Amino acid sequence: MLTELTVENYRGFERYRLPELRRVNLLVGRNNCGKTSLLEAVRLFARKGYPDDLKYIALDRGEVTFVDEPERPEGGRYFPAVSHFFRNRQFQLGQELVIQGSESELLRISVSTFDSVDTSGDYEELVQQLLRRSSSPTETLLWSEFACATKVASIFAIPLSTKGTIGFPTGPGRPRWAAMQTDGHTVSTNVEFISPGSLEPMLMGEMWDWAVETGDEESVVDAMKLLEPRLQSIHFLSAEHMYRHSRSGVLLGFEGERRRVPLGSHGDGMRRMLALALSLTHTSGGYLLVDEIDTGLHWTVMADMWRLVIETARRNNTQVFATTHSLDCLRGLDQACREYPHLAEDVSAHTIDPTLEESVFMSAGDLRIALEQEIEVR
């Protein structure tokens, strides 16, 4: 579990620190202050700079650049661009960002070539193996390196186009990316990021299968009952064509009703709660990242939602990071900690202000005082 996180030369931050992280962490602050960026930093760190995460983060944000492809009849395409991950959107050799979880764990992502990589450490042979997989030692790379206890644990070498895009056609014999892991370190898969639009039904269906296998499906149904007490069952349709429409494929069963009802008939709140409940079950031992956690939820269910999140995170050894703009969301967190004092020790709130060197940390007690005295913490 992360106890602190520091980013350098990352998006809008020259250097910024999240101190005193706990089991459940709520990030608050004005628009465009970097809350979502910090969620993404946790994702990149937890996944050790895995290339597909970089790609999907850029695509989700629409951070793409057009690359001309004369050999294609359709012409060029848009590909995810890496420059936006670096402060001031720089794309040049030697550009580097750092995400550090502790003194012994550090993720370093840089723009380089194989020839420019420093091999003075204890991983020269790894670099040579990666070099043999590449078509050219001088091609531009996004070099992602995760070190644990001063020892390199994993490396990814990702080819970049001249415009700084990843995922573009690599050609015969040119790998999409090359990877090396040492000391048994592997990329964690139990990291989930929930955007304000929640999750696609196909992904939720995969998580539902996991919940069924682990015997946790009743806990998911119970979570949904916070919004609709008459809910009795959840059903995911197996026909693949249902998932071609992003809102299809999930049915709900209610007491006294034989016919199943589409999830979409019950609004965004039900979809949001289902995404939360499934992700909490699926991220056991890992990380759940939720952007705008209160989306679609009425203020009257906030305290119950937070109780569900904190208790499930405890039970599953999951660390949660969430963002909000909502005062009702903060009040709901405070209410949950008042009604269930044993939960308070697992909670922290952080006001994000990029003009400072670190977030303003609040324990559950600090948050209560701020709300009672009507101090603006958002």
Side-chain angles (χ1 to χ4, degrees):
M1 188 170 77
L2 285 170
T3 57
E4 64 179 64
L5 186 81
T6 302
V7 298
E8 296 182 27
N9 198 37
Y10 172 71
R11 291 198 181 271
F13 300 104
E14 181 177 2
R15 179 181 172 86
Y16 200 75
R17 179 171 173 262
L18 290 175
E20 300 191 59
L21 297 174
R22 299 187 178 178
R23 174 73 59 194
V24 175
N25 308 279
L26 181 60
L27 311 185
V28 299
R30 59 178 174 78
N31 289 336
N32 203 36
C33 70
K35 300 186 299 296
T36 302
S37 295
L38 291 170
L39 290 189
E40 293 167 349
V42 175
R43 176 179 177 177
L44 291 173
F45 180 84
R47 298 268 290 166
K48 298 178 173 60
Y50 189 64
D52 284 356
D53 290 279
L54 290 158
K55 179 178 72 174
Y56 291 131
I57 288 172
L59 288 174
D60 287 344
R61 282 182 174 262
E63 295 172 338
V64 296
T65 296
F66 186 82
V67 177
D68 189 29
E69 298 177 89
E71 70 281 1
R72 293 182 74 242
E74 303 89 340
R77 285 179 287 174
Y78 285 92
F79 292 91
V82 302
S83 61
H84 303 281
F85 288 95
F86 299 95
R87 192 164 185 267
N88 298 324
R89 307 183 190 280
Q90 297 275 342
F91 174 65
Q92 58 189 34
L93 287 177
Q95 194 71 14
E96 178 179 88
L97 68 86
V98 173
I99 305 173
Q100 187 162 1
S102 67
E103 290 185 1
S104 63
E105 290 187 316
L106 181 143
L107 172 66
R108 191 184 305 276
I109 299 176
S110 60
V111 179
S112 62
T113 65
F114 280 115
D115 282 349
S116 64
V117 172
D118 179 12
T119 59
S120 60
D122 60 354
Y123 63 101
E124 182 172 357
E125 177 55 30
L126 292 181
V127 176
Q128 293 303 316
Q129 289 183 47
L130 289 172
L131 179 59
R132 287 193 286 271
R133 301 182 188 184
S134 173
S135 61
S136 170
T138 59
E139 81 176 331
T140 305
L141 303 169
L142 192 66
W143 184 263
S144 175
E145 178 181 304
F146 186 88
C148 182
T150 70
K151 199 169 186 179
V152 174
S154 63
I155 300 172
F156 295 99
I158 311 146
L160 296 175
S161 73
T162 56
K163 292 186 176 181
T165 60
I166 58 178
F168 66 99
T170 53
R174 192 165 177 233
R176 186 165 60 97
W177 44 264
M180 293 298 300
Q181 276 97 31
T182 64
D183 299 332
H185 284 80
T186 57
V187 174
S188 174
T189 56
N190 51 350
V191 180
E192 292 295 341
F193 186 99
I194 304 179
S195 70
S198 294
L199 301 174
E200 295 298 322
M202 185 169 289
L203 179 55
M204 288 198 290
E206 293 172 359
M207 291 184 181
W208 177 254
D209 290 345
W210 173 269
V212 172
E213 289 178 13
T214 57
D216 289 319
E217 66 269 30
E218 286 303 318
S219 67
V220 177
V221 174
D222 288 342
M224 297 285 284
K225 287 182 178 180
L226 294 177
L227 302 185
E228 180 48 77
R230 293 190 309 113
L231 182 71
Q232 200 168 45
S233 58
I234 302 171
H235 307 270
F236 284 80
L237 300 181
S238 59
E240 289 186 10
H241 71 272
M242 293 298 300
Y243 297 106
R244 294 175 187 170
H245 305 284
S246 63
R247 296 284 172 169
S248 303
V250 187
L251 301 178
L252 306 178
F254 294 91
E255 294 178 7
E257 297 182 20
R258 182 176 180 180
R259 185 177 181 181
R260 312 302 187 193
V261 180
L263 174 64
S265 296
H266 287 268
D268 288 340
M270 290 287 277
R271 185 176 298 276
R272 190 65 162 182
M273 188 61 76
L274 180 57
L276 271 174
L278 287 171
S279 296
L280 281 164
T281 298
H282 191 252
T283 52
S284 179
Y287 300 86
L288 175 58
L289 316 171
V290 190
D291 203 9
E292 298 182 25
I293 192 170
D294 54 290
T295 297
L297 301 178
H298 194 260
W299 67 269
T300 55
V301 302
M302 288 296 174
D304 289 333
M305 180 274 290
W306 279 118
R307 180 189 177 191
L308 165 74
V309 168
I310 300 167
E311 289 184 341
T312 309
R314 268 185 166 186
R315 184 169 63 251
N316 292 348
N317 189 29
T318 299
Q319 189 169 22
V320 178
F321 293 82
T323 70
T324 189
H325 297 107
S326 168
L327 187 58
D328 288 333
C329 188
L330 288 164
R331 287 172 174 161
L333 179 58
D334 174 54
Q335 182 183 341
C337 292
R338 286 174 183 262
E339 294 179 356
Y340 306 95
H342 65 286
L343 301 180
E345 65 185 31
D346 281 328
V347 169
S348 77
H350 297 259
T351 300
I352 307 302
D353 183 346
T355 66
L356 304 177
E357 294 183 354
E358 63 180 41
S359 64
V360 179
F361 162 79
M362 290 175 286
S363 65
D366 297 330
L367 178 60
R368 179 176 307 171
I369 293 170
L371 293 173
E372 288 175 345
Q373 297 184 4
E374 299 184 353
I375 299 172
E376 180 57 74
V377 297
R378 297 170 298 164

